[in-house]
Amino acid sequence: MTPEASKRVMIRFTEFINTASETLAAELISPDATFHVPGRSEPMRGPAGYLAIIQMMRGGFPDIQWTLEEMVAEGDKVAARFTMRGTHLGTFFGTPSTGKTIAVQALNIYRLSHGQIVEETGQPDLLGLLQQIGAVPANQR
């Protein structure tokens, strides 16, 4: 894939994660795809696995939206930086709803093949997210 084609896939992928569209999941995610999620010993797999990741996030932040801030594409890889924004209205990582809003960065590396995502390794700022909802004390200076 050309870098431009890879970037078009990522723009569609952002639409997918913001809508949780099963149609877009089937279009953009390989059935054999693996998603390495922080805190999980085994990767999630395929379109259903990614939909489960989105539902886990929406369980804590029903209005969560991702903004694709920037990306770099080379060969079969894309590095993408997102900002996740939402309101903590459900339990997340054991922390009950606080009503607080979050704005958290994530840097993910994707591998694409034939117009589909086949692998993702994600690094969301989970510590920052937990600090923003009060689950972990913020750094006191």
Side-chain angles (χ1 to χ4, degrees):
M1 293 179 63
T2 66
E4 293 76 22
S6 295
K7 288 178 180 181
R8 283 193 299 274
V9 169
M10 293 309 300
I11 290 167
R12 297 275 292 156
F13 177 75
T14 304
E15 181 183 343
F16 157 64
I17 58 179
N18 282 325
T19 63
S21 163
E22 291 183 18
T23 302
L24 284 174
E27 172 189 330
L28 298 169
I29 298 173
S30 167
D32 300 320
T34 57
F35 304 102
H36 306 279
V37 180
R40 292 188 62 96
S41 59
E42 295 296 319
M44 304 292 282
R45 299 196 181 278
Y50 214 95
L51 285 164
I53 294 167
I54 293 169
Q55 291 310 318
M56 183 269 301
M57 291 301 298
R58 286 192 173 176
F61 306 90
D63 61 347
I64 194 161
Q65 291 288 286
W66 286 262
T67 303
L68 180 58
E69 303 290 356
E70 62 183 314
M71 63 181 146
V72 177
E74 183 178 314
D76 65 349
K77 302 265 176 88
V78 176
R81 184 175 61 84
F82 295 92
T83 301
M84 303 179 293
R85 292 180 178 86
T87 311
H88 184 217
L89 298 175
T91 300
F92 186 76
F93 274 66
T95 302
S97 169
T98 62
K100 295 180 179 182
T101 59
I102 61 158
V104 177
Q105 299 287 308
L107 180 60
N108 301 338
I109 307 293
Y110 299 88
R111 190 166 56 84
L112 287 74
S113 178
H114 304 291
Q116 290 188 311
I117 294 171
V118 296
E119 184 176 23
E120 176 198 73
T121 301
Q123 287 300 314
D125 180 8
L126 193 53
L127 177 60
L129 186 155
L130 293 172
Q131 287 175 331
Q132 288 178 38
I133 63 173
V136 173
N139 188 6
Q140 303 295 317
R141 292 185 181 190

